[in-house]
Amino acid sequence: MGSYRFILSGGGTGGHIYPAIAIANELKRRYPEAQFLFVGARDKMEMEKVPKAGYKIEGLWISGLQRRLTWKNIVFPLKLISSLIKASEILKKFNPDVAIGTGGFASGPLLKSAAKRRIPYLLQEQNSYAGITNKLLGAKANRICVAYDAMERFFPKEKLVKTGNPVRADLVNLQTDKKGPLSFFGLDSNKRTVLILGGSLGARRINQLVEEKLDFFNTQNLQLIWQCGKLYFEEYKQYNSDRVKVKAFLNRMDMAYALADFIVSRSGAGSVSELCLVGKPVVFVPSPNVAEDHQTKNAQALEQQGAAIVLKENQLDGQFETVFSKLLGSREMQEKLGHNIKKLALPKATEHIVDEIEALLK
């Protein structure tokens, strides 16, 4: 039977959407006849990203509870009831064999309704600190795929499978030759390269740091690939030069990773999983503005294994130059960080998650 029906939900941020699409692509590769439906939050980025990837999506009227008192919380019960009703209707109509949730608010009502209808479901938790939606859904899940150890703090131990997070296929076999990437970015083969990553929208504090430290990077004879994000490109494009390449977005991450000698990055789950595959020395600057402070926890999980350096935003002014100079000057430290982070890579994550979904079909 190749005509299985799969329903997937995950969204709000790229960190939830991208894994869901990667899982769908692998399922489609194994079951070309299968039917797919995504369920997202009506006003979030999945409504645009999922159709771009070639899949149908239905939107629910749902958002999270705000942490402070606001009128949005007053309409929350209304949104929840409306979403549960709509999710139930979608499931009745689509009648899936398996449901898959990758986190984000929309997966809550969908999987709650799936449990009621006795549809088996699998959760994929990307972070080292489980998100609120997934924690609530863990008890009734048939399988929970995780990327970190010690996740039995949040989930029933017997349901856990450590698979890692889905990553882009083009990063699994990264090229080592720098000739192509050097000419692609127009950079100098005699200088070492620092890659700055702030996520697709950009990271204000990392951008401010780079702007303040341009002279420092210059005196260290370094060149930069600076992905400042589309929100900040207008502000920072003036710094574009032969040794500083300012980009709103990087279309060829494989080229950027191949050329980088050092990386400064946010520590969202997707970035962390990619950087493990890349195996270069990384300084993580976690975003403090995310749910459950999970970026700090993701980064610290690597730091504890000698696989990365972590600097919080409030430490940047006082410590960045000292910490970075020490890294630049120590070949041994660079090799140790690169080696240890590479050891944590789980390149076959998507395939292992889909193996678990196949087990549920049986």
Side-chain angles (χ1 to χ4, degrees), residues 160-215:
L160 290 176
V161 189
K162 186 180 175 187
T163 55
N165 288 323
V167 284
R168 285 176 260 208
D170 60 348
L171 299 179
V172 177
N173 304 307
L174 211 61
Q175 58 172 335
T176 48
D177 179 33
K178 292 192 173 186
K179 272 218 288 288
L182 278 165
S183 68
F184 180 80
F185 287 106
L187 288 167
D188 182 346
S189 60
N190 297 315
K191 292 186 172 71
R192 293 192 288 178
T193 306
V194 185
L195 172 61
I196 314 284
L197 300 172
S200 51
L201 297 174
R204 177 181 290 284
R205 189 63 193 91
I206 292 180
N207 288 335
Q208 289 169 341
L209 172 81
V210 177
E211 184 178 35
E212 286 157 22
K213 302 297 179 194
L214 284 171
D215 285 345

Side-chain angles (χ1 to χ4, degrees), residues 16 24 35 81 84-85 94 96 112 177 217 219-220 237 254 290 292 301 309 315 339:
H16 296 311
Q35 293 194 48
I81 293 161
L84 284 164
I85 293 168
F94 187 70
K112 210 81 189 134
D177 179 33
F217 289 127
T219 54
Q220 301 290 336
K237 64 181 183 188
D254 55 330
V290 292
E292 279 106 12
I309 294 167
Q315 298 175 310
H339 175 75

Side-chain angles (χ1 to χ4, degrees), residues 148 165-168 171-172 174 195-199 206 253 256-258 260-285 295 299 302 307-309 337-346:
Y148 290 88
N165 288 323
V167 284
R168 285 176 260 208
L171 299 179
V172 177
L174 211 61
L195 172 61
I196 314 284
L197 300 172
I206 292 180
M253 282 310 297
Y257 283 139
D261 296 289
F262 307 95
I263 299 166
V264 177
S265 175
R266 284 297 199 210
S267 47
S271 306
V272 172
S273 299
E274 284 188 3
L275 291 168
C276 289
L277 277 177
V278 172
K280 307 267 176 97
V282 182
V283 177
F284 284 120
V285 181
Q295 286 207 7
L302 270 74
I309 294 167
L337 288 171
H339 175 75
N340 287 349
I341 198 168
K342 188 100 180 162
K343 275 199 314 209
L344 302 174
L346 296 163

